[in-house]
Amino acid sequence: AGEGAAGEGGSSTSSSSSSPATVATRVAPAGDTTQRNGDGSVRPGASVTEQSDQIVTVTQLVPPQMCQRRATTDDLLEISYVGRVAETGAIFDGSAVRIQGE
């Protein structure tokens, strides 16, 4: 998962080949996330909210051991991951992580 293309409007960067490969992509732009009615007015009980750019960063920590070729369209890939909050380091998801005992 160390390589990939940025989505439309996103940007990606990758590190040199001597260190783990890293890709960062903007997945949701900053802006107003307020729940609104069809006419644009704020829904009753909702408050005006905003979010910062949401960016996903992927770092390939362990290079593939058995790969003789790169993945292509329609290949089945097995990916192990841990989702962490960037600011706190708290784990929120993962391929082999138990969250709150589940």
Side-chain angles (χ1 to χ4, degrees), residues 17-85:
S17 59
S18 62
S19 61
T22 300
V23 175
T25 300
R26 184 177 72 171
V27 294
D32 186 347
T33 58
T34 306
Q35 293 184 0
R36 297 182 181 273
N37 295 312
D39 65 1
S41 62
V42 177
R43 288 187 180 175
S47 59
V48 176
T49 57
E50 291 191 18
Q51 71 177 23
S52 302
D53 281 342
Q54 293 182 20
I55 298 176
V56 171
T57 301
V58 176
T59 302
Q60 180 182 8
L61 299 177
V62 179
Q65 298 295 318
M66 302 185 313
C67 290
Q68 300 299 316
R69 65 174 181 83
R70 291 187 164 284
T72 60
T73 301
D74 294 329
D75 281 352
L76 178 63
L77 305 177
E78 180 179 328
I79 299 172
S80 298
Y81 69 96
V82 174
R84 294 183 184 269
V85 177

